[in-house]
Amino acid sequence: MERVFRRMVGGEEEGGGHGKVSSAELGEALRVAGRISCDEIQRMIVEVDTDGDGYIDFDQFAAFCHANEALMNLVARVF
Protein backbone atom coordinates (compact mmCIF):
# COMPACT_ATOMS: atom_id res chain seq x y z
CA MET A 1 0.00 0.00 0.00
CA GLU A 2 2.79 2.43 0.90
CA ARG A 3 4.72 1.53 -2.26
CA VAL A 4 1.69 2.24 -4.45
CA PHE A 5 1.02 5.53 -2.67
CA ARG A 6 4.67 6.65 -3.00
CA ARG A 7 4.66 5.83 -6.72
CA MET A 8 1.41 7.76 -7.23
CA VAL A 9 2.70 10.75 -5.26
CA GLY A 10 6.12 10.66 -6.90
CA GLY A 11 9.08 10.19 -4.65
CA GLU A 12 11.61 12.88 -3.93
CA GLU A 13 13.80 11.41 -6.67
CA GLU A 14 10.94 11.89 -9.14
CA GLY A 15 10.42 15.54 -8.24
CA GLY A 16 7.32 14.79 -6.18
CA GLY A 17 7.18 14.27 -2.47
CA HIS A 18 4.34 16.66 -1.66
CA GLY A 19 2.73 13.80 0.29
CA LYS A 20 -0.66 13.82 -1.40
CA VAL A 21 -2.24 12.36 -4.52
CA SER A 22 -4.60 14.54 -6.50
CA SER A 23 -8.07 13.26 -7.24
CA ALA A 24 -7.09 13.27 -10.91
CA GLU A 25 -4.01 11.10 -10.22
CA LEU A 26 -6.06 8.56 -8.26
CA GLY A 27 -8.70 8.57 -10.97
CA GLU A 28 -6.07 7.90 -13.63
CA ALA A 29 -4.62 5.00 -11.62
CA LEU A 30 -8.09 3.50 -11.27
CA ARG A 31 -8.78 3.95 -14.99
CA VAL A 32 -5.50 2.26 -15.88
CA ALA A 33 -6.45 -0.67 -13.64
CA GLY A 34 -9.64 -0.96 -15.72
CA ARG A 35 -12.99 -2.51 -14.95
CA ILE A 36 -14.36 0.64 -13.40
CA SER A 37 -16.52 3.37 -14.91
CA CYS A 38 -15.84 7.10 -14.73
CA ASP A 39 -18.97 7.52 -12.57
CA GLU A 40 -17.69 4.90 -10.11
CA ILE A 41 -14.31 6.63 -9.98
CA GLN A 42 -15.92 10.00 -9.20
CA ARG A 43 -18.08 8.44 -6.47
CA MET A 44 -15.03 6.81 -4.89
CA ILE A 45 -12.99 9.99 -5.01
CA VAL A 46 -15.73 11.92 -3.25
CA GLU A 47 -15.77 9.23 -0.55
CA VAL A 48 -11.97 9.14 -0.23
CA ASP A 49 -11.34 12.90 -0.17
CA THR A 50 -12.98 13.33 3.23
CA ASP A 51 -11.67 16.86 3.79
CA GLY A 52 -12.69 18.02 0.29
CA ASP A 53 -9.33 19.57 -0.58
CA GLY A 54 -9.03 17.74 -3.90
CA TYR A 55 -6.10 15.64 -2.67
CA ILE A 56 -5.80 12.26 -0.99
CA ASP A 57 -3.28 11.96 1.84
CA PHE A 58 -1.88 8.64 3.01
CA ASP A 59 -4.50 8.11 5.75
CA GLN A 60 -7.33 8.67 3.27
CA PHE A 61 -5.59 6.39 0.76
CA ALA A 62 -5.12 3.66 3.37
CA ALA A 63 -8.82 3.76 4.30
CA PHE A 64 -9.70 3.53 0.59
CA CYS A 65 -7.35 0.55 0.13
CA HIS A 66 -8.87 -1.34 3.03
CA ALA A 67 -12.40 -0.69 1.74
CA ASN A 68 -11.51 -1.69 -1.85
CA GLU A 69 -8.91 -4.45 -1.54
CA ALA A 70 -9.70 -6.23 -4.81
CA LEU A 71 -9.51 -3.01 -6.81
CA MET A 72 -6.28 -1.97 -5.10
CA ASN A 73 -4.72 -5.32 -5.98
CA LEU A 74 -5.29 -4.40 -9.64
CA VAL A 75 -3.84 -0.91 -9.10
CA ALA A 76 -0.80 -2.40 -7.32
CA ARG A 77 -0.08 -4.52 -10.39
CA VAL A 78 0.02 -1.39 -12.53
CA PHE A 79 2.39 0.37 -10.15
Side-chain angles (χ1 to χ4, degrees), residues 3-4 11 13 15-16 33 45 51 53 59 74:
R3 177 182 56 84
V4 173
E13 69 279 357
I45 289 172
D51 60 8
D53 68 352
D59 291 335
L74 291 172

Side-chain angles (χ1 to χ4, degrees), residues 7-53:
R7 299 260 335 253
M8 291 173 73
V9 167
E12 298 295 333
E13 69 279 357
E14 297 170 0
H18 48 79
K20 295 185 176 185
V21 175
S22 72
S23 298
E25 290 166 329
L26 179 59
E28 182 60 26
L30 295 172
R31 271 189 287 285
V32 168
R35 299 185 194 158
I36 187 164
S37 72
C38 290
D39 289 340
E40 288 175 302
I41 291 170
Q42 285 296 25
R43 181 187 54 77
M44 283 189 225
I45 289 172
V46 167
E47 290 176 17
V48 173
D49 184 16
T50 55
D51 60 8
D53 68 352

